């Protein structure tokens, strides 16, 4: 979707549509069970996209072993999808306005299934990377249509229910991806191992296609006549210049070209705004959208909300798997506590809270997210060996805050958007969310790994001193104890760099060879404790970043009107 500027002076062709404006193609009447089934089909399409953004992460070690992927290959198996998805979202949304949202959704779903098949039968890393790029591009055709179709199928007063379902799918896709990936890989159906994470998409896509073709009404935008190629090119170039360095920069140490690229993205988006202001016929992004206070404010909050929420899942995974030594499945199951609270509080927010207190409900959700981060920081600082019950209050409260925030945020952002521009608005909304996620993950990762490097040095010094003192107390010669202690420190540093706290490295084996096999277990215990301490401190610093971002989101929420006024 997978979360702000000066008000333009719209040209006559961009003048906001009246609330009664209807799309050129009148949607076929749909209600009751048929509408619920249609909603299910398009939301499952969204779920496939959300799962495939993260599901491959779990399978990377198996992929590396099976087809000989390098670390660079693996980076692009993940980043290629995100890059293609982000660069095409706005264009995908506008194509739905022009050629029909149902039609483009179906094309995207067919392409997504085809890309999944290519990925599932890939024989080498290059084939898999190309398939992931193709899959991301097809996802960008599908996802913007979901919001547009929901706006067509549900009148404003009923959209809260649909958006609640959307929030549930968003939470499930984000939290369940690693678990599903781990289970599919571990079960090893028909000896396919990692290939099942892609091939499982195909039968699900077929079912969704059949339902969509039969039940989902078609709709188009009234003023969208043809694609604004110049606008599409500028959006694509701008997102490429923004997302590419955010994907590659952290691993390469942020070389100068990444900073130049980020600056160039700002210039490109400024040119895009200027071009769109002047365009009077079928612009890619109707600038009249930004005349709506709810849309402008919603985008600002979405950018910050996604910059805080999405990095949390990464940080939590690093803490549980690499800091606490949990398996992928165990770490994922702990994350379910967050995911369980999201749909529950989404429903409560949509039906009980937001209709009564409006914007304050969204602000309450963001405040709950801040409180959850504070609770988790307290638990991490006070309990070395984390357990699910200790983490549960913070995770449940965080999931509740996410549910309280996401559904009203959708409602506010898209409430005043005319159906005529639903595709473009959905594309912009999803693109801003992708920008927020990419920026947030990059910044949070930078905070986390800088803190981890600092802490690994300090913890490594403590580990060195402990190993030296214990070996000396055992009667090991001083020179040998010093050498073994230096190796113990190097072992910790190299394992943290490799993101593998139990890596079997030469420098780690050297400790036992110098001090005797009888101290090997004690050395492993000290290594685990030191690694855990370093990850604890790094996680706390990253969670502080999340608190700051959520606080900024609360400040941005005052740009929203106090209440949603349903039109039509």
């Amino acid at each position: 979707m997978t979360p702000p500027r000066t008000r333009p002076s719209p040209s006559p062709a961009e003048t906001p549509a009246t609330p009664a404006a209807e799309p050129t193609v009148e949607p076929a009447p749909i209600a009751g069970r048929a509408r619920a089934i249609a909603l299910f089909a398009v939301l499952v399409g969204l779920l496939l996209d959300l799962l495939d953004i993260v599901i491959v992460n779990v399978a990377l070690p198996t992929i590396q072993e099976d087809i000989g992927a390098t670390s660079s290959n693996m980076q692009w198996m993940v980043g290629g999808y995100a890059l293609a998805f982000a660069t095409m979202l706005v264009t995908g949304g506008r194509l739905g306005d022009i050629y029909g949202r149902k039609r483009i959704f179906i094309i995207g779903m067919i392409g997504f299934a085809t890309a999944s098949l290519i990925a599932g039968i890939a024989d080498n890393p290059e084939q898999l990377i190309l398939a992931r790029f193709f899959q991301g591009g097809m996802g960008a055709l599908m996802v913007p249509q979901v919001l547009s179709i929901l706006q067509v199928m549900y009148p404003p007063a009923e959209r809260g229910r649909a958006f609640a379902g959307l929030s549930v799918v968003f939470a499930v896709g984000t939290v369940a991806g690693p678990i599903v990936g781990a289970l599919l890989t571990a079960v090893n159906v028909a000896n396919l191992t990692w290939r099942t994470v892609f091939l499982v998409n195909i039968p699900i896509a077929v079912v969704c296609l059949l339902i969509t073709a039969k039940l989902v009404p078609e709709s188009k935008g009234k003023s969208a006549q043809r694609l604004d190629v110049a606008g599409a090119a500028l959006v694509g170039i701008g997102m490429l210049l923004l997302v590419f360095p955010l994907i590659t920069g952290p691993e390469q140490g942020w070389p100068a070209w990444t900073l130049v690229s980020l600056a160039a993205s700002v210039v490109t988006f400024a040119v895009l705004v200027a071009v769109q202001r002047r365009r009077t016929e079928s612009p890619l992004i109707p600038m009249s959208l930004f005349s709506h206070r709810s849309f402008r404010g919603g985008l600002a909050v979405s950018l910050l909300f996604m910059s805080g929420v999405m990095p949390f899942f990464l940080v939590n995974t690093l803490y549980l798997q690499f800091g606490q030594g949990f398996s992928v499945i165990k770490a994922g199951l702990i994350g379910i506590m967050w995911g369980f609270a999201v749909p529950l509080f989404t429903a409560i927010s949509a039906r009980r809270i937001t209709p009564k207190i409006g914007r304050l409900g969204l602000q309450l959700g963001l405040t709950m997210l801040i409180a959850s981060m504070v609770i988790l920081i307290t638990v991490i600082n006070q309990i070395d060996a984390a357990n699910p019950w200790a983490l549960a209050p913070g995770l449940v409260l965080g999931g509740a805050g996410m549910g309280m925030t996401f559904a009203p945020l959708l409602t506010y952002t898209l409430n005043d958007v005319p159906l005529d521009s639903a595709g473009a608005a959905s594309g912009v909304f999803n693109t801003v969310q992708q920008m927020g996620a990419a920026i947030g993950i990059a910044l949070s990762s930078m905070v986390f790994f800088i803190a981890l490097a600092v802490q690994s040095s300090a913890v490594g010094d403590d580990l060195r001193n402990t190993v030296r003192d214990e070996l000396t107390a055992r009667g090991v010669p001083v020179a040998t104890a010093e050498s073994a202690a230096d190796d113990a420190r190097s072992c910790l540093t190299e394992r943290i760099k490799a993101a593998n706290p139990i890596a079997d490295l030469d420098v780690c084996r050297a400790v036992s060879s110098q001090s005797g096999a009888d101290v090997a277990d004690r050395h492993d215990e000290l290594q685990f404790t030191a690694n855990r301490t370093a990850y604890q401190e790094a996680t706390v610093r990253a969670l502080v970043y999340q608190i700051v971002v959520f606080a900024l989101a609360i400040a941005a929420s005052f740009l929203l009107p106090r209440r949603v006024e349903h039109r039509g």
Side-chain angles (χ1 to χ4, degrees), residues 449-486:
F449 286 110
I450 288 175
L452 185 62
V454 172
Q455 291 302 317
S456 66
S457 178
V459 171
D461 290 339
D462 292 340
L463 173 65
R464 182 189 183 282
N465 294 336
T466 301
V467 171
R468 182 197 60 204
D469 293 345
E470 290 195 8
L471 290 178
T472 302
R474 287 171 177 262
V476 175
V478 174
T480 303
E482 290 282 358
S483 178
D486 288 338

mmCIF file of all heavy atoms in Angstrom, residues 449-486:
data_model
loop_
_atom_site.group_PDB
_atom_site.id
_atom_site.type_symbol
_atom_site.label_atom_id
_atom_site.label_comp_id
_atom_site.label_asym_id
_atom_site.label_seq_id
_atom_site.Cartn_x
_atom_site.Cartn_y
_atom_site.Cartn_z
ATOM 1 N N PHE A 449 21.120 0.643 13.298
ATOM 2 C CA PHE A 449 22.434 0.048 13.043
ATOM 3 C C PHE A 449 23.582 0.942 13.521
ATOM 4 O O PHE A 449 24.653 0.430 13.866
ATOM 5 C CB PHE A 449 22.571 -0.309 11.565
ATOM 6 C CG PHE A 449 21.765 -1.522 11.185
ATOM 7 C CD1 PHE A 449 20.644 -1.402 10.390
ATOM 8 C CD2 PHE A 449 22.102 -2.771 11.665
ATOM 9 C CE1 PHE A 449 19.877 -2.505 10.055
ATOM 10 C CE2 PHE A 449 21.347 -3.900 11.342
ATOM 11 C CZ PHE A 449 20.229 -3.757 10.538
ATOM 12 N N ILE A 450 23.360 2.249 13.547
ATOM 13 C CA ILE A 450 24.375 3.114 14.166
ATOM 14 C C ILE A 450 24.449 2.815 15.664
ATOM 15 O O ILE A 450 25.535 2.662 16.234
ATOM 16 C CB ILE A 450 24.047 4.599 13.926
ATOM 17 C CG1 ILE A 450 24.295 4.964 12.456
ATOM 18 C CG2 ILE A 450 24.895 5.489 14.835
ATOM 19 C CD1 ILE A 450 23.888 6.379 12.101
ATOM 20 N N ALA A 451 23.280 2.712 16.310
ATOM 21 C CA ALA A 451 23.250 2.380 17.732
ATOM 22 C C ALA A 451 23.836 0.998 17.983
ATOM 23 O O ALA A 451 24.562 0.785 18.968
ATOM 24 C CB ALA A 451 21.813 2.443 18.252
ATOM 25 N N LEU A 452 23.558 0.054 17.082
ATOM 26 C CA LEU A 452 24.089 -1.299 17.240
ATOM 27 C C LEU A 452 25.617 -1.301 17.135
ATOM 28 O O LEU A 452 26.304 -1.999 17.903
ATOM 29 C CB LEU A 452 23.481 -2.222 16.183
ATOM 30 C CG LEU A 452 23.842 -3.706 16.287
ATOM 31 C CD1 LEU A 452 23.343 -4.286 17.602
ATOM 32 C CD2 LEU A 452 23.244 -4.478 15.108
ATOM 33 N N ALA A 453 26.142 -0.513 16.195
ATOM 34 C CA ALA A 453 27.601 -0.441 16.046
ATOM 35 C C ALA A 453 28.253 0.160 17.292
ATOM 36 O O ALA A 453 29.280 -0.331 17.785
ATOM 37 C CB ALA A 453 27.951 0.388 14.815
ATOM 38 N N VAL A 454 27.642 1.224 17.807
ATOM 39 C CA VAL A 454 28.170 1.860 19.024
ATOM 40 C C VAL A 454 28.095 0.894 20.197
ATOM 41 O O VAL A 454 29.069 0.731 20.961
ATOM 42 C CB VAL A 454 27.401 3.154 19.326
ATOM 43 C CG1 VAL A 454 27.805 3.708 20.693
ATOM 44 C CG2 VAL A 454 27.641 4.198 18.237
ATOM 45 N N GLN A 455 26.963 0.229 20.358
ATOM 46 C CA GLN A 455 26.780 -0.678 21.479
ATOM 47 C C GLN A 455 27.657 -1.921 21.354
ATOM 48 O O GLN A 455 28.160 -2.434 22.360
ATOM 49 C CB GLN A 455 25.309 -1.086 21.587
ATOM 50 C CG GLN A 455 24.385 0.032 22.024
ATOM 51 C CD GLN A 455 24.777 0.605 23.373
ATOM 52 O OE1 GLN A 455 25.107 -0.139 24.305
ATOM 53 N NE2 GLN A 455 24.738 1.919 23.493
ATOM 54 N N SER A 456 27.845 -2.415 20.139
ATOM 55 C CA SER A 456 28.680 -3.604 19.964
ATOM 56 C C SER A 456 30.119 -3.321 20.370
ATOM 57 O O SER A 456 30.811 -4.200 20.896
ATOM 58 C CB SER A 456 28.620 -4.098 18.519
ATOM 59 O OG SER A 456 29.199 -3.148 17.633
ATOM 60 N N SER A 457 30.564 -2.087 20.158
ATOM 61 C CA SER A 457 31.919 -1.709 20.595
ATOM 62 C C SER A 457 32.011 -1.695 22.115
ATOM 63 O O SER A 457 32.937 -2.277 22.701
ATOM 64 C CB SER A 457 32.275 -0.337 20.024
ATOM 65 O OG SER A 457 33.549 0.074 20.471
ATOM 66 N N ALA A 458 31.031 -1.044 22.757
ATOM 67 C CA ALA A 458 31.046 -0.961 24.224
ATOM 68 C C ALA A 458 30.844 -2.334 24.861
ATOM 69 O O ALA A 458 31.562 -2.712 25.800
ATOM 70 C CB ALA A 458 29.961 0.000 24.691
ATOM 71 N N VAL A 459 29.891 -3.089 24.345
ATOM 72 C CA VAL A 459 29.624 -4.419 24.883
ATOM 73 C C VAL A 459 30.798 -5.351 24.607
ATOM 74 O O VAL A 459 31.144 -6.212 25.434
ATOM 75 C CB VAL A 459 28.322 -4.982 24.272
ATOM 76 C CG1 VAL A 459 28.137 -6.446 24.639
ATOM 77 C CG2 VAL A 459 27.123 -4.179 24.738
ATOM 78 N N GLY A 460 31.427 -5.163 23.439
ATOM 79 C CA GLY A 460 32.590 -5.978 23.108
ATOM 80 C C GLY A 460 33.741 -5.772 24.079
ATOM 81 O O GLY A 460 34.449 -6.723 24.445
ATOM 82 N N ASP A 461 33.924 -4.530 24.512
ATOM 83 C CA ASP A 461 34.970 -4.259 25.515
ATOM 84 C C ASP A 461 34.661 -4.975 26.822
ATOM 85 O O ASP A 461 35.558 -5.562 27.457
ATOM 86 C CB ASP A 461 35.081 -2.752 25.754
ATOM 87 C CG ASP A 461 35.683 -2.008 24.566
ATOM 88 O OD1 ASP A 461 36.357 -2.655 23.746
ATOM 89 O OD2 ASP A 461 35.454 -0.785 24.459
ATOM 90 N N ASP A 462 33.396 -4.935 27.238
ATOM 91 C CA ASP A 462 33.007 -5.636 28.467
ATOM 92 C C ASP A 462 33.199 -7.143 28.323
ATOM 93 O O ASP A 462 33.656 -7.821 29.263
ATOM 94 C CB ASP A 462 31.541 -5.338 28.804
ATOM 95 C CG ASP A 462 31.324 -3.885 29.211
ATOM 96 O OD1 ASP A 462 32.315 -3.221 29.601
ATOM 97 O OD2 ASP A 462 30.166 -3.414 29.118
ATOM 98 N N LEU A 463 32.830 -7.672 27.155
ATOM 99 C CA LEU A 463 33.000 -9.104 26.905
ATOM 100 C C LEU A 463 34.479 -9.493 26.960
ATOM 101 O O LEU A 463 34.845 -10.517 27.573
ATOM 102 C CB LEU A 463 32.416 -9.469 25.543
ATOM 103 C CG LEU A 463 32.657 -10.900 25.062
ATOM 104 C CD1 LEU A 463 31.938 -11.892 25.972
ATOM 105 C CD2 LEU A 463 32.184 -11.068 23.617
ATOM 106 N N ARG A 464 35.308 -8.677 26.340
ATOM 107 C CA ARG A 464 36.759 -8.953 26.340
ATOM 108 C C ARG A 464 37.289 -9.027 27.768
ATOM 109 O O ARG A 464 38.040 -9.957 28.124
ATOM 110 C CB ARG A 464 37.494 -7.861 25.557
ATOM 111 C CG ARG A 464 38.989 -8.073 25.467
ATOM 112 C CD ARG A 464 39.697 -6.866 24.880
ATOM 113 N NE ARG A 464 41.115 -7.130 24.750
ATOM 114 C CZ ARG A 464 41.979 -7.093 25.769
ATOM 115 N NH1 ARG A 464 41.566 -6.799 27.000
ATOM 116 N NH2 ARG A 464 43.265 -7.373 25.562
ATOM 117 N N ASN A 465 36.913 -8.067 28.590
ATOM 118 C CA ASN A 465 37.408 -8.038 29.970
ATOM 119 C C ASN A 465 36.913 -9.239 30.774
ATOM 120 O O ASN A 465 37.657 -9.823 31.577
ATOM 121 C CB ASN A 465 36.970 -6.743 30.649
ATOM 122 C CG ASN A 465 37.611 -5.515 30.026
ATOM 123 O OD1 ASN A 465 38.682 -5.605 29.419
ATOM 124 N ND2 ASN A 465 36.961 -4.365 30.149
ATOM 125 N N THR A 466 35.643 -9.609 30.538
ATOM 126 C CA THR A 466 35.088 -10.754 31.267
ATOM 127 C C THR A 466 35.792 -12.047 30.884
ATOM 128 O O THR A 466 36.141 -12.865 31.753
ATOM 129 C CB THR A 466 33.572 -10.874 30.978
ATOM 130 O OG1 THR A 466 32.918 -9.683 31.367
ATOM 131 C CG2 THR A 466 32.967 -12.054 31.723
ATOM 132 N N VAL A 467 35.993 -12.262 29.585
ATOM 133 C CA VAL A 467 36.672 -13.473 29.111
ATOM 134 C C VAL A 467 38.098 -13.526 29.652
ATOM 135 O O VAL A 467 38.569 -14.565 30.144
ATOM 136 C CB VAL A 467 36.666 -13.540 27.578
ATOM 137 C CG1 VAL A 467 37.561 -14.667 27.082
ATOM 138 C CG2 VAL A 467 35.238 -13.721 27.061
ATOM 139 N N ARG A 468 38.801 -12.428 29.580
ATOM 140 C CA ARG A 468 40.185 -12.392 30.084
ATOM 141 C C ARG A 468 40.244 -12.720 31.575
ATOM 142 O O ARG A 468 41.053 -13.548 32.009
ATOM 143 C CB ARG A 468 40.779 -11.012 29.834
ATOM 144 C CG ARG A 468 42.242 -10.852 30.282
ATOM 145 C CD ARG A 468 42.605 -9.389 30.372
ATOM 146 N NE ARG A 468 41.739 -8.716 31.350
ATOM 147 C CZ ARG A 468 41.493 -7.398 31.327
ATOM 148 N NH1 ARG A 468 42.023 -6.632 30.391
ATOM 149 N NH2 ARG A 468 40.704 -6.869 32.243
ATOM 150 N N ASP A 469 39.347 -12.089 32.348
ATOM 151 C CA ASP A 469 39.373 -12.309 33.796
ATOM 152 C C ASP A 469 39.006 -13.748 34.153
ATOM 153 O O ASP A 469 39.625 -14.352 35.051
ATOM 154 C CB ASP A 469 38.399 -11.346 34.486
ATOM 155 C CG ASP A 469 38.836 -9.896 34.370
ATOM 156 O OD1 ASP A 469 40.014 -9.650 34.024
ATOM 157 O OD2 ASP A 469 37.988 -9.000 34.604
ATOM 158 N N GLU A 470 38.014 -14.318 33.477
ATOM 159 C CA GLU A 470 37.612 -15.684 33.799
ATOM 160 C C GLU A 470 38.685 -16.689 33.405
ATOM 161 O O GLU A 470 38.921 -17.666 34.123
ATOM 162 C CB GLU A 470 36.285 -16.011 33.111
ATOM 163 C CG GLU A 470 35.095 -15.261 33.709
ATOM 164 C CD GLU A 470 33.758 -15.840 33.283
ATOM 165 O OE1 GLU A 470 33.753 -16.925 32.649
ATOM 166 O OE2 GLU A 470 32.714 -15.238 33.602
ATOM 167 N N LEU A 471 39.333 -16.464 32.253
ATOM 168 C CA LEU A 471 40.396 -17.373 31.836
ATOM 169 C C LEU A 471 41.595 -17.279 32.771
ATOM 170 O O LEU A 471 42.217 -18.297 33.120
ATOM 171 C CB LEU A 471 40.807 -17.079 30.393
ATOM 172 C CG LEU A 471 39.781 -17.449 29.306
ATOM 173 C CD1 LEU A 471 40.309 -17.053 27.935
ATOM 174 C CD2 LEU A 471 39.464 -18.942 29.336
ATOM 175 N N THR A 472 41.924 -16.092 33.166
ATOM 176 C CA THR A 472 43.048 -15.903 34.100
ATOM 177 C C THR A 472 42.746 -16.594 35.429
ATOM 178 O O THR A 472 43.627 -17.230 36.028
ATOM 179 C CB THR A 472 43.295 -14.401 34.335
ATOM 180 O OG1 THR A 472 43.565 -13.769 33.084
ATOM 181 C CG2 THR A 472 44.486 -14.195 35.268
ATOM 182 N N ALA A 473 41.490 -16.493 35.876
ATOM 183 C CA ALA A 473 41.105 -17.144 37.127
ATOM 184 C C ALA A 473 41.187 -18.663 37.021
ATOM 185 O O ALA A 473 41.380 -19.358 38.033
ATOM 186 C CB ALA A 473 39.688 -16.729 37.512
ATOM 187 N N ARG A 474 41.055 -19.184 35.810
ATOM 188 C CA ARG A 474 41.171 -20.633 35.588
ATOM 189 C C ARG A 474 42.618 -21.082 35.471
ATOM 190 O O ARG A 474 42.896 -22.259 35.272
ATOM 191 C CB ARG A 474 40.421 -21.029 34.317
ATOM 192 C CG ARG A 474 38.896 -21.005 34.443
ATOM 193 C CD ARG A 474 38.257 -21.198 33.079
ATOM 194 N NE ARG A 474 36.806 -21.258 33.161
ATOM 195 C CZ ARG A 474 36.085 -22.392 33.181
ATOM 196 N NH1 ARG A 474 36.715 -23.544 33.142
ATOM 197 N NH2 ARG A 474 34.780 -22.360 33.266
ATOM 198 N N GLY A 475 43.571 -20.155 35.532
ATOM 199 C CA GLY A 475 44.976 -20.514 35.443
ATOM 200 C C GLY A 475 45.546 -20.478 34.045
ATOM 201 O O GLY A 475 46.680 -20.924 33.808
ATOM 202 N N VAL A 476 44.781 -19.949 33.088
ATOM 203 C CA VAL A 476 45.285 -19.817 31.723
ATOM 204 C C VAL A 476 46.361 -18.729 31.703
ATOM 205 O O VAL A 476 46.187 -17.675 32.343
ATOM 206 C CB VAL A 476 44.136 -19.451 30.760
ATOM 207 C CG1 VAL A 476 44.667 -19.187 29.357
ATOM 208 C CG2 VAL A 476 43.092 -20.557 30.736
ATOM 209 N N PRO A 477 47.474 -18.955 31.025
ATOM 210 C CA PRO A 477 48.524 -17.935 30.965
ATOM 211 C C PRO A 477 47.973 -16.593 30.498
ATOM 212 O O PRO A 477 47.064 -16.536 29.657
ATOM 213 C CB PRO A 477 49.517 -18.504 29.958
ATOM 214 C CG PRO A 477 49.324 -19.987 30.038
ATOM 215 C CD PRO A 477 47.862 -20.180 30.315
ATOM 216 N N VAL A 478 48.540 -15.504 31.034
ATOM 217 C CA VAL A 478 48.022 -14.169 30.749
ATOM 218 C C VAL A 478 48.019 -13.869 29.258
ATOM 219 O O VAL A 478 47.036 -13.340 28.709
ATOM 220 C CB VAL A 478 48.843 -13.109 31.519
ATOM 221 C CG1 VAL A 478 48.397 -11.700 31.108
ATOM 222 C CG2 VAL A 478 48.689 -13.289 33.019
ATOM 223 N N ALA A 479 49.113 -14.188 28.583
ATOM 224 C CA ALA A 479 49.204 -13.891 27.140
ATOM 225 C C ALA A 479 48.119 -14.630 26.360
ATOM 226 O O ALA A 479 47.483 -14.081 25.457
ATOM 227 C CB ALA A 479 50.581 -14.259 26.610
ATOM 228 N N THR A 480 47.890 -15.912 26.722
ATOM 229 C CA THR A 480 46.855 -16.702 26.048
ATOM 230 C C THR A 480 45.471 -16.145 26.347
ATOM 231 O O THR A 480 44.609 -16.058 25.467
ATOM 232 C CB THR A 480 46.936 -18.173 26.487
ATOM 233 O OG1 THR A 480 48.237 -18.685 26.218
ATOM 234 C CG2 THR A 480 45.891 -19.013 25.758
ATOM 235 N N ALA A 481 45.252 -15.747 27.617
ATOM 236 C CA ALA A 481 43.954 -15.181 28.000
ATOM 237 C C ALA A 481 43.681 -13.881 27.253
ATOM 238 O O ALA A 481 42.554 -13.633 26.809
ATOM 239 C CB ALA A 481 43.918 -14.951 29.512
ATOM 240 N N GLU A 482 44.729 -13.054 27.096
ATOM 241 C CA GLU A 482 44.563 -11.794 26.356
ATOM 242 C C GLU A 482 44.204 -12.058 24.904
ATOM 243 O O GLU A 482 43.329 -11.410 24.328
ATOM 244 C CB GLU A 482 45.855 -10.972 26.442
ATOM 245 C CG GLU A 482 46.156 -10.388 27.806
ATOM 246 C CD GLU A 482 45.331 -9.146 28.087
ATOM 247 O OE1 GLU A 482 44.559 -8.711 27.203
ATOM 248 O OE2 GLU A 482 45.438 -8.616 29.213
ATOM 249 N N SER A 483 44.889 -13.016 24.289
ATOM 250 C CA SER A 483 44.621 -13.338 22.885
ATOM 251 C C SER A 483 43.210 -13.889 22.702
ATOM 252 O O SER A 483 42.488 -13.510 21.776
ATOM 253 C CB SER A 483 45.653 -14.354 22.385
ATOM 254 O OG SER A 483 45.384 -14.721 21.047
ATOM 255 N N ALA A 484 42.810 -14.789 23.620
ATOM 256 C CA ALA A 484 41.471 -15.371 23.533
ATOM 257 C C ALA A 484 40.397 -14.297 23.748
ATOM 258 O O ALA A 484 39.351 -14.300 23.090
ATOM 259 C CB ALA A 484 41.301 -16.487 24.559
ATOM 260 N N ALA A 485 40.677 -13.357 24.650
ATOM 261 C CA ALA A 485 39.729 -12.274 24.910
ATOM 262 C C ALA A 485 39.580 -11.377 23.688
ATOM 263 O O ALA A 485 38.465 -10.934 23.360
ATOM 264 C CB ALA A 485 40.194 -11.463 26.120
ATOM 265 N N ASP A 486 40.690 -11.096 23.020
ATOM 266 C CA ASP A 486 40.616 -10.300 21.791
ATOM 267 C C ASP A 486 39.792 -11.021 20.725
ATOM 268 O O ASP A 486 38.996 -10.404 20.008
ATOM 269 C CB ASP A 486 42.025 -10.019 21.262
ATOM 270 C CG ASP A 486 42.789 -9.018 22.122
ATOM 271 O OD1 ASP A 486 42.138 -8.244 22.841
ATOM 272 O OD2 ASP A 486 44.038 -9.008 22.060
#
